[in-house]
Structure formats: C-alpha cells, structure tokens
Amino acid sequence: MSAHSLSEQPAAWHSLEVDKSLELLKTNAETGLSPQEVQQRLEQYGANELEETGGRSAWQILIDQFTNIMLLMLIAVAIISGVLDLIAWQQGTLKPGELPFKDTIAILAIVVLNGILGYVQESRAEKALAALKKLASPNVRVLRDSRPVEVPAQELVPGDVMLVEAGVHVAADGRLIEESNLQIRESALTGEAEAVNKQAKVTLPEETSLGDRVNLVFQGTEIVQGRGKILVTNTGMQTELGKIATMLQAVESEPTPLQQRMTQLGNVLVTGSLILVAIVIGIGLLRGGNLQELLEVSLSMAVAVVPESLPAVITVTLALGTQRMVRRNALIRKLPAVETLGSVTTICSDKTGTLTQNKMVVQSVYTNVSAPSSSPSRDLISEDGNYSPQEPQTSNQFLSVTGSGYDPVGEFQLQGQTTEPQEYPVLQALLVACTSCNDSFLQQDKGQWKILGDPTEGALVTLAAKGGIEKDQWDSKLPRVAEFPFSSERKRMSVISKVEQVETGVSPIAEVDPIIGHLLQPSDRYLMFTKGSPELILARCTHIYVGNSAIPINDGQRSQILAENDTMASKGLRVLGFAYKPLSEIPPEGSDEESEKELVWLGLVGMLDAPRPEVRAAVQECRDAGIRPVMITGDHQLTARAIAVDLGIAQESDRALTGQELQRMSDQELEENVDLVSIYARVAPEHKLRIVQALQRRGRFVAMTGDGVNDAPALKQADIGIAMGITGTDVSKEASDMVLLDDNFATIVSATKEGRVVYTNIRRFIKYILGSNIGEVLTIAAAPIMGLGGVPLTPLQILWMNLVTDGLPALALAVEPAEPDVMKRPPFSPRESIFARGLGSYMIRIGIVFAIISIILMAWAYNHVKVVTGPDLSPERWKTMVFTALCIAQMGHALAIRSNSQLTIEMNPFSNPYILAAVVVTSILQLLLVYLPPLQAFFGTHYLSLPELGICLGFSALMFVWIEAEKLFFRLTGRKIV
C-alpha cells in the first residue's frame, strides 16, 4: 500500500451523507469510475490486498536453538574433549580397547537432539495472515463506465461502485448508496452471530461503534439477504480487516514463563559451573596437579552441571499434558501453553457461545393472567367503552420460564409457583402467536433438539412447545395464506392464517380450536398475528386481550406495558411484542400500513442467550483459585451486564465500560481502570488488544478467548490465546495457543487446573534432576582436591546418569496426579524465579547431602581397592562404585520426592505405577552396565563383587532415609517443605 493511501480522506464515513461521500471520492453512483481513473487510483492506493511483513526464516529458527547457553557450554566441552582425545590418539596413550572421540560424539548428539526438539516446537509458522487472506473475495461486480463488470477483487479502488447480493463476500470497506432488505453477517469481524440489517439512508455520530455502523459494509463479511450498491471507501491495509492484519503483525511473541525460567536456570548453572571449574583448576595447579587431568575433571564437571535430559523430559511432560487436555476438550497448539495456563491470573472471555449457550431462550413472559371469564366478555363492555361492574380486571404479571437450549421442556412459574398455561387463555393465545408468526422449525437430531431457522424465532417455537402448542399441529389448524415480511424499516412482521373449520352444520366458531375461538367473531375467517418492536406494535393496538376477550386499551395500560418493556430490556433481554387481529378476508398485498392497525395486544416475550449451566460453577472455581474472569463482548451493555451478574463475573453495582468510553481513554487512563472493570461491551478489535496490553502492563497474566477475525491480534498478544473450535474462524485458531473443542468457558478452567498440575510436576522433577547434578559436580570436584588419581566419572557416564537414571524417573514424576488444593490457592507469579519457594535451597541442600554420601564412599572405596585385589578386580573399580552409588541413590530420591509432606510408606504405591516401573528398569540397566562386558568396555565400568555392590546399595539408601527424615522434621516443626 502506498504511503499516502487514504490519509487525506475522512475516516468517519458513517457520519457522512451518501452525496458527500461520492463528492469526496470524486465518483458517480450511476456510472462508477473509468478505466483511466481506476489505473490512477491503483498507482496511488495500491492493490486491494493484505500485505505481509517478513518473519524469521527456518534457518534463523534452527540457528537460534544453538544460542542457548547450556548447549553452547556442551559444544565447548565436546570440542575440548575431542582435542584431548586427538592428542591422546596421536601420542598413543589411549587405553586398550578405548574408542576415541566417543565422549565428543555422545555430547554432540545430545546437542543436536536438543536443538531439533527446540526447532520443532518453534518452527510451526504462523498462518493467521494466510487465513485472513482467505476471507477476501476473489471477484467482485462493479460499475465501470456505467456498465456492470466483474473484476478481480485486488483491482478495487476507493471510489469504485460495488454491487452485492446474497451469498457473496464483501471485497472492500464501503458506504451504502442504496439497499433492499440487506442483511450482512459480520460475525467474522465483530464476533456477534446475528446478521445486521443495513440502512443506506441513515447518518450516524462519529463515535458510533463498529458493530452499530449500519450504513457501512466491511471486507470479509457475508451478504445473507437482499442486495446493495456500495461506494468503496477503503481497500487493502486501510480496511477494518487490514487494520487487524496490521495489529496481528505488530504483536511480538514474548517468551513463556517456562522459557524464561529455563533461561534463568541455564545462566545460573553455567555461571556456577564455570566458577567451580576455575576454583578446581586453580587449587589443582597450586598443588602441582597435571593440567590434562584437571581439564578432564573440568569437562566432567561441565557435563554434570547441564541437565541434558531436562529439555526432553519437559517436552514429553507438556505433550502428555496436551493429551490429558484434549480429553477435556482443550486442544493445545503450542506446547509451552500447557504450563503457561497454570500461571493465568485473568481470563478475558467473549460472551456469545463461551459463557452462553449461543441459543436464544425465552426467560420471561409479561401478559394478562387473570382467570378466564365464564361468559364472553365482549358483552360486558358498554357502547361508550366504559366498563360494566362485571368486566374482567387486568392483572398483567411476569411469568418466568424454565428450561435450557432448544429442549421443549420447561415450566411456567407465576410468583415462584408452577402454573399451567391452559389456565390462562391469553397466555395460550400468545403461544399460538409465537408459533404461527414464525418461520423456524424445531426438530430432534440424534437426541439433540435443534432449530432450523433464526435463533430468535427458534426460541419462540420452543416456548410454545413448552406450553403444549406444537408448531406442526397449529400450522394445519392455522395454515398461512399471506404475510407482511419483516424489514429493518418496519421492525415488525405479520402472518395471515386461515382458521380451519369442520363442516358439521353447526356454528363454525364452536368447531375451531377453543384456544383461538374467543379471538374471532362469527364473520371472521382469518387471523393476523403480528410481532416486532414492542413500542411500535403497542402504538398500533386499540384493544388488549383480557380473560377471553378483547377490551379497549387505556393510557394507563400502555404506560404500564412500556415500563415493563424497559424493565425487561434493562435486564439484558431481547423483548418482542405480540398482537393479533381477526379478519374476514385476506388483505391485499402491499396494504401492511393499513392492515396492521387496530390490533389487539397480547403481551411481551423476553429472551436471552442464556448462560451455560456449568459456567457459574466454573466462574466460582476461578475465584477460589485467585483467577479474575472478565467479559469482553461486542454485544450491548445491558445484555452483557445481565449475563455477567448472573454468572458471578461482576456485581450489579460494578462498572461496565463501552467501546465508545474506552476509545476516549488514553492508555494511562485505561491502565488505571482495567483492574476495576469486569464488563466491556460494544468493543472494537483494537479495544480488545488495548485491554489485554493494559492488563499485562499491570502485571497480570492474561488468557483471552475469541472466535472472530477481530479477536486475532488480542489472541496473539495475550499470554494464552484461546480460540473457539466450533464457531472460531481459521484466523483466530491460527493466532491462538489453545483451541476449545466445545467452546465452553468451563473447559478453560479445567485446562488451567491441568496447567497448574504440569507446572507443579515440572518443579518436582527439576528438584529431582538438579539435586543429583549438584551432588555429581561436588563429587567430581572433590576428587582432585582430595588427591585421588583420575576422574571418578567420565563425561559418558555422566551423560548416562543425566539421560537415563535421571531421565526415566523424571518422566514418571511428570504424571503425578493433582494435589487436592491445586485450585484452592492463588496462581503462583508467572515472573517468579525457578528457584522460588524453596526450590533452590532444596537443590543445594540435597546436592550437598548427595555429595557427602558419595565423597565418603569415594574415599573408602579408593583405599578399599588397594587392599582388596584379585585377578578379576580392577584397581579402577572405586570409580564404578561411586558411579553405581550415585545412580541407585537417585532411585530412592525418586520414590521419596513424590510428596513434599507424606512419607513414602503413607502413600499408595500404585497411585503412580510409572515411578515403580522406572525405578526397577533403571536399576536393572545400571547393573547391566556393571556386569555386561560389552557395556563395561563402552562405558568404562568395572566388575564389582557382591559385598562391594552391597556397600554401594547401603550408601545409596542413605539418600532415601535422609529425605524421609526431613519430612518428619518439617512435620514436627510445623514448617512446609517444597
């Protein structure tokens, strides 16, 4: 797009008259642009397409994997080890049967594997923009030189006159010139499923929110009904879709808490290792040690300090977490999101379909519920319209309606007591109106009730069915013969039905259904039912249905009905008014204005996209877990507040912020208010992004749900972007970290719980792995300081310990079940150190204990092998004893670390059978290294006698005893161990 795209044109096209818009764009509504003008504007504004900025290439992603400080240290170790092996090879000092470069090859293999693991996780290219481009229409009809022609959408320019009809996608943003019953589904842009009725002739205030700009059309939206002529105002990156693309590409991915913690861990370990290496080499040289031996010790220490199995264990742990989450209907697209969910402090949720059922459900009915009269009431009204003493008294009251979704099962409740609709003729007549003045159908499919047609009309059919009024039966009793359809200007619709009678020779009134018998005079053969805006319907009524007859309506009744309409609307209900009119003949076509007069008022029906029944408990679980739920919706403020209050997201007195108010706020003002507001209504795409950014600046860790194209930038900006699997667009899914397969808020809470379990288990096996690594480093460092000959552990043996004897039990610890209070505590700070809450002190404490046990054994074994000799006993076997003791000690550590407070004997050994299997398998593998000759040769181990093996096992058991004793000590002193 050219730099001088549309900067000189006004942005508020919805506030301009059509003629003014045509004048500003120098075009004509009847002729359109000429080919020469189109070419000039293409050069000025650029093609009508979304532009993509460059991202990291696959090579850059791969190279970045090897900039990790721990991998860099391992690469350095591999190089130095290779150089030492090369020198030994050239000098002929290699031991008999020893393979040169095996340490170098093993270390580099680990480096490559870790690099590949990281690459696979990061290389999934973001396809959000590609999905966004799919919304663009390939071809479009426009006026060029007074002739309608079809051109590629990329060739549209501001000033073009575009022709649209039902079924096409809008190719650019534009101002309506004229329209005929035009309805556009803008859910991809605004997130709201209901089609918008467009009006060309209106002008709107500049601050009108995006969802209310009924005189504009937007690129990527779908024409549902009608046709229109549109002045193209914005193309390419200047469209609302283009603005979303700009925001999407401007969002920079931040490292997850886990990635930040792993970076911190690497820095601490490498720094500590280098300091220790320097100390060991310094002391060794001062004592006259051999430099080559000191370098070998340093290499072993460097390998020991790096937890080579950790990246693989974390990846597998996260993958296992994704499998468990899929079973809970949460599909994880990016592995780190599993753990990140456990850090969430704020969940920003859309309303429609996530907190609600995305099904309109009638909540209340307001009508006259006086008891039926024993005689026809028309006879009780005098000629001057005054009531006789016997006239029925109006008793307008609310009836609440129970039930959920489109299931035609529910109760009508009056003042908290269940009542039968058959007791009230006016209620039955109202239900007949609901089902007759209706184009939708209720049907059952595989045990689920579904609606064919408009959701609002579906709610009315369901309401009638709850009251025993079945649509298929009444369609035969009152077959439709004519109608006055709904339009955005009329805001009402009417249906004329023939009253079917049985030819018996008796009065025809007696033979029609009693429910509608009282609505008719003897000469009436037809009934017209009308529904629509309550104010407009009521204005056309001259009578009100009371008992079982119609009486003149007075001003007091009108005021009462309008007041109750306002009350229902203030609760967020969508309210429709119903009336009827008996007819002796079918009114002529086009006579709606005259025919829809002198109506008889029946009542009000209020409906709502009802909350999902399980969401209330999920919101409460959020609050128990210290997580704050926030509603961000494109719907109206009253509706949003009603749902939020009902679900416990907000209190009645809490402030709700609209998109217009948010637009007037600076970023600083929004940041000051963002913790005080739990309801955002009528928001635009950029508002959602600003809300998320403001929360993040306040230190909140944000999960954001969304389904529309408009949600994509905010989904990408959020710490956890959550897309809808059923209603979500491809754009939102590609921008997200997680997809809800059931579009249910409760699933987010379940996934958050799983995230907390995963993070707890990650901390558990980090304690397990690094505690032993510290013990290894200190043991290796002690050997030259104590004057022992050689290195007790070779780099290859250390890799075995870190990958196998640490890795397998660590994987088993990763599937430990959740603790009982996991959702009864606040989330841990996403910015807390990996060493927080005592983990660092535990690692150091256990590492020192490991080292003390190993060093005592090492000193004893070093002297023991000099005393106990034999033809099959190598003087180097003291190293194997140290190696074996360290490995077996880890098995006891794995069993003890399952719980921070319970003794191992108090736990069910089969609650995690994987840990038992890992301990048995790893112990057997370790023994094979000691006693199987090929493995002895490769790993540099030596045969141990049974008493020597027993000594190793005895020292190893001390580690288990120490940790269990720690638990008892902390329990007795009332302190908590991490």
Side-chain angles (χ1 to χ4, degrees):
M1 180 67 65
S2 171
H4 51 270
S5 50
L6 296 177
S7 57
E8 297 177 2
Q9 297 179 17
W13 294 101
H14 54 279
S15 66
L16 301 177
E17 297 283 353
V18 173
D19 291 341
K20 181 64 175 176
S21 300
L22 290 166
E23 179 187 337
L24 286 171
L25 288 170
K26 299 178 181 178
T27 189
N28 186 289
E30 304 303 324
T31 62
L33 298 174
S34 67
Q36 295 79 13
E37 289 174 315
V38 170
Q39 188 58 43
Q40 290 172 358
R41 298 188 186 203
L42 272 173
E43 292 174 3
Q44 179 183 357
Y45 302 130
N48 178 35
E49 59 187 5
L50 303 181
E51 298 173 354
E52 188 169 0
T53 58
R56 284 194 305 168
S57 67
W59 280 110
Q60 286 176 311
I61 295 172
L62 183 61
I63 291 170
D64 286 347
Q65 304 312 307
F66 300 99
T67 59
N68 178 287
I69 190 167
M70 288 193 290
L71 290 188
L72 286 174
M73 189 171 77
L74 283 180
I75 292 170
V77 168
I79 293 171
I80 296 171
S81 178
V83 170
L84 291 177
D85 277 0
L86 180 62
I87 293 171
W89 187 29
Q90 290 175 341
Q91 295 176 349
T93 57
L94 287 174
K95 296 176 183 177
E98 184 178 358
L99 292 173
F101 309 115
K102 62 182 181 182
D103 290 344
T104 299
I105 293 169
I107 294 169
L108 288 178
I110 297 300
V111 169
V112 170
L113 282 173
N114 279 330
I116 291 173
L117 270 177
Y119 174 79
V120 169
Q121 285 190 45
E122 285 192 41
S123 63
R124 179 168 183 161
E126 289 293 348
K127 299 176 183 175
L129 191 64
L132 204 58
K133 288 181 177 180
K134 290 180 183 177
L135 293 176
S137 178
N139 294 298
V140 62
R141 289 180 66 227
V142 294
L143 285 178
R144 296 273 172 89
D145 274 346
S146 303
R147 291 185 299 109
V149 294
E150 192 169 273
V151 300
Q154 291 90 340
E155 296 180 9
L156 276 181
V157 294
D160 259 325
V161 177
M162 183 167 53
L163 307 173
V164 297
E165 58 188 10
V168 307
H169 281 82
V170 180
D173 289 4
R175 171 69 164 89
L176 275 170
I177 299 173
E178 61 184 54
E179 44 76 25
S180 176
N181 202 24
L182 184 65
Q183 291 187 5
I184 301 182
R185 184 177 290 116
E186 297 179 344
S187 56
L189 197 64
T190 64
E192 297 307 311
E194 192 171 341
V196 180
N197 294 294
K198 293 295 183 177
Q199 302 173 51
K201 297 177 181 178
V202 302
T203 55
L204 302 167
E206 283 194 26
E207 65 272 13
T208 303
S209 63
L210 190 70
D212 294 325
R213 296 175 189 175
V214 294
N215 56 2
L216 299 185
V217 301
F218 305 105
Q219 184 182 22
T221 57
E222 181 186 359
I223 309 295
V224 176
Q225 182 178 317
R227 56 182 175 79
K229 180 186 284 189
I230 297 159
L231 169 66
V232 175
T233 55
N234 292 310
T235 59
M237 299 299 283
Q238 297 301 316
T239 63
E240 293 298 326
L241 210 61
K243 293 175 185 176
I244 292 172
T246 301
M247 289 189 288
L248 197 58
Q249 295 180 95
V251 174
E252 296 182 2
S253 298
E254 294 290 330
T256 68
L258 184 60
Q259 291 167 333
Q260 293 172 352
R261 287 163 180 153
M262 289 303 99
T263 299
Q264 179 196 29
L265 178 64
N267 293 336
V268 171
L269 290 179
V270 170
T271 303
S273 173
L274 292 177
I275 292 172
L276 198 55
V277 164
I279 292 171
V280 169
I281 291 179
I283 294 175
L285 290 174
L286 288 174
R287 297 185 59 177
N290 181 283
L291 179 60
Q292 185 169 338
E293 286 187 2
L294 290 172
L295 283 175
E296 290 176 356
V297 170
S298 300
L299 292 179
S300 293
M301 288 173 59
V303 174
V305 82
V306 176
E308 288 85 1
S309 64
L310 192 57
V313 172
I314 287 176
T315 299
V316 173
T317 302
L318 296 177
L320 291 173
T322 65
Q323 292 180 5
R324 292 194 295 270
M325 287 186 181
V326 165
R327 291 196 288 270
R328 294 171 178 252
N329 290 314
L331 176 66
I332 300 297
R333 294 186 64 253
K334 299 171 185 176
L335 270 185
V338 178
E339 178 271 338
T340 308
L341 273 164
S343 302
V344 166
T345 62
T346 307
I347 299 177
C348 296
S349 176
D350 195 9
K351 175 184 69 68
T352 306
T354 308
L355 296 169
T356 64
Q357 302 174 36
N358 202 16
K359 297 175 182 177
M360 297 298 286
V361 180
V362 173
Q363 304 284 304
S364 60
V365 175
Y366 180 74
T367 189
N368 179 274
V369 287
S370 60
S373 173
S374 59
S375 60
S377 300
R378 288 179 185 263
D379 299 335
L380 300 176
I381 305 172
S382 62
E383 293 182 0
D384 60 3
N386 295 320
Y387 301 137
S388 69
Q390 294 82 26
E391 69 181 358
Q393 298 298 309
T394 59
S395 180
N396 286 312
Q397 293 192 49
F398 279 111
L399 290 99
S400 60
V401 186
T402 65
S404 63
Y406 295 129
D407 192 342
V409 177
E411 297 179 342
F412 290 78
Q413 296 180 344
L414 180 62
Q415 297 177 347
Q417 300 294 319
T418 300
T419 187
E420 295 297 328
Q422 293 78 4
E423 298 176 13
Y424 305 105
V426 65
L427 180 56
Q428 287 192 293
L430 177 59
L431 298 180
V432 170
C434 288
T435 194
S436 296
C437 192
N438 202 308
D439 293 321
S440 293
F441 295 89
L442 184 65
Q443 67 176 21
Q444 198 169 21
D445 181 25
K446 298 178 182 178
Q448 297 289 323
W449 288 95
K450 296 182 178 179
I451 282 294
L452 292 178
D454 180 75
T456 299
E457 293 198 328
L460 298 174
V461 175
T462 304
L463 171 70
K466 290 176 182 177
I469 306 296
E470 303 290 343
K471 182 172 175 59
D472 54 351
Q473 296 178 11
W474 279 91
D475 282 349
S476 61
K477 294 178 182 179
L478 292 171
R480 187 181 303 188
V481 294
E483 66 181 285
F484 300 126
F486 177 88
S487 73
S488 55
E489 291 82 12
R490 287 166 27 82
K491 290 185 170 54
R492 63 184 183 275
M493 73 170 288
S494 294
V495 167
I496 296 94
S497 300
K498 182 180 179 182
V499 180
E500 290 292 348
Q501 305 170 12
V502 179
E503 298 293 343
T504 61
V506 187
S507 171
I509 297 299
E511 301 302 325
V512 301
D513 194 296
I515 293 176
I516 58 172
H518 295 297
L519 308 183
L520 302 165
Q521 293 287 1
S523 60
D524 296 332
R525 295 292 181 269
Y526 302 95
L527 270 175
M528 180 175 74
F529 291 107
T530 304
K531 74 176 180 192
S533 167
E535 299 91 338
L536 298 181
I537 299 294
L538 185 61
R540 291 177 170 271
C541 290
T542 56
H543 288 71
I544 183 171
Y545 195 72
V546 178
N548 54 12
S549 64
I551 63 172
I553 189 169
N554 59 44
D555 291 340
Q557 290 166 332
R558 290 182 189 275
S559 299
Q560 185 181 3
I561 292 169
L562 290 174
E564 299 302 342
N565 173 53
D566 291 342
T567 299
M568 294 171 77
S570 69
K571 296 177 181 178
L573 298 178
R574 181 179 184 186
V575 188
L576 293 176
F578 286 83
Y580 79 93
K581 182 179 182 179
L583 301 169
S584 58
E585 59 183 21
I586 301 174
E589 188 175 347
S591 64
D592 53 299
E593 190 63 31
E594 190 62 31
S595 299
E596 292 172 332
K597 288 181 178 179
E598 299 180 355
L599 304 178
V600 181
W601 179 260
L602 286 173
L604 298 168
V605 172
M607 65 191 73
L608 191 69
D609 181 6
R612 290 176 179 264
E614 65 274 18
V615 169
R616 289 185 186 87
V619 168
Q620 185 56 49
E621 190 173 6
C622 272
R623 296 202 175 280
D624 291 342
I627 301 170
R628 177 171 164 251
V630 175
M631 178 192 290
I632 304 178
T633 179
D635 209 342
H636 291 279
Q637 181 177 347
L638 290 176
T639 306
R641 180 185 292 278
I643 296 291
V645 171
D646 186 19
L647 292 175
I649 291 174
Q651 301 297 318
E652 191 70 52
S653 59
D654 286 356
R655 182 184 179 188
L657 199 62
T658 65
Q660 291 183 12
E661 293 171 321
L662 199 151
Q663 185 69 37
R664 292 192 290 267
M665 284 185 172
S666 66
D667 288 345
Q668 180 64 35
E669 290 173 323
L670 178 58
E671 188 176 333
E672 291 170 358
N673 286 274
V674 75
D675 281 338
L676 306 175
V677 179
S678 296
I679 307 169
Y680 297 88
R682 305 306 279 171
V683 294
E686 60 271 20
H687 297 154
K688 295 186 177 185
L689 184 60
R690 287 184 64 201
I691 292 167
V692 172
Q693 290 171 334
L695 284 165
Q696 289 174 329
R697 288 195 297 271
R698 297 283 294 180
R700 309 296 176 247
F701 208 73
V702 185
M704 167 73 184
T705 73
D707 54 6
V709 174
N710 61 322
D711 296 321
L715 289 176
K716 192 173 179 183
Q717 175 69 46
D719 299 288
I720 289 288
I722 305 171
M724 302 297 110
I726 299 173
T727 60
T729 59
D730 288 344
V731 183
S732 63
K733 291 175 185 176
E734 290 297 339
S736 70
D737 301 291
M738 183 176 92
V739 178
L740 294 183
L741 300 180
D742 59 357
D743 290 10
N744 194 337
F745 180 85
T747 301
I748 305 173
V749 182
S750 297
T752 301
K753 178 180 179 180
E754 189 62 51
R756 291 189 174 191
V757 173
V758 167
Y759 179 50
T760 299
N761 286 341
I762 286 174
R763 279 177 56 90
R764 182 177 285 117
F765 63 65
I766 284 176
K767 287 194 300 183
Y768 168 73
I769 290 173
L770 294 185
S772 68
N773 281 22
I774 291 172
E776 293 167 22
V777 172
L778 294 177
T779 302
I780 296 167
I785 294 174
M786 293 169 63
L788 305 182
V791 185
L793 300 171
T794 67
L796 193 59
Q797 290 172 348
I798 295 167
L799 286 176
W800 169 265
M801 291 179 64
N802 289 353
L803 290 171
V804 180
T805 59
D806 285 357
L808 290 180
L811 282 175
L813 290 171
V815 294
E816 276 293 315
E819 297 173 0
D821 65 342
V822 68
M823 291 297 281
K824 297 294 183 183
R825 58 162 177 79
F828 296 128
S829 170
R831 290 160 187 84
E832 75 172 12
S833 164
I834 189 65
F835 305 110
R837 291 180 287 117
L839 187 144
S841 63
Y842 177 92
M843 286 163 30
I844 294 172
R845 187 172 70 248
I846 296 301
I848 291 172
V849 173
F850 252 113
I852 292 171
I853 293 171
S854 301
I855 290 168
I856 293 172
L857 173 65
M858 182 169 64
W860 178 86
Y862 184 76
N863 293 314
H864 165 76
V865 298
K866 293 178 181 178
V867 176
V868 180
T869 60
D872 297 328
L873 299 177
S874 168
E876 295 285 300
R877 67 187 187 279
W878 67 274
K879 300 177 182 179
T880 302
M881 291 182 71
V882 174
F883 176 39
T884 302
L886 279 169
C887 290
I888 301 300
Q890 271 294 71
M891 301 304 99
H893 189 194
L895 292 172
I897 204 173
R898 288 183 60 202
S899 173
N900 294 333
S901 55
Q902 284 184 291
L903 298 177
T904 303
I905 198 172
E906 296 173 341
M907 299 178 68
N908 179 2
F910 301 106
S911 62
N912 184 357
Y914 301 103
I915 193 70
L916 295 177
V919 166
V920 171
V921 169
T922 306
S923 299
I924 292 172
L925 289 174
Q926 181 63 30
L927 293 177
L928 290 177
L929 258 65
V930 175
Y931 294 106
L932 203 62
L935 294 177
Q936 284 179 344
F938 186 78
F939 283 95
T941 58
H942 303 280
Y943 174 86
L944 298 179
S945 65
L946 287 179
E948 289 169 345
L949 179 62
I951 293 293
C952 293
L953 295 177
F955 271 89
S956 298
L958 294 175
M959 189 71 250
F960 175 81
V961 172
W962 175 272
I963 297 174
E964 294 294 282
E966 267 196 355
K967 292 179 187 177
L968 283 174
F969 174 76
F970 283 113
R971 182 185 294 180
L972 292 172
T973 57
R975 292 169 60 192
K976 189 174 181 180
I977 186 173
V978 296

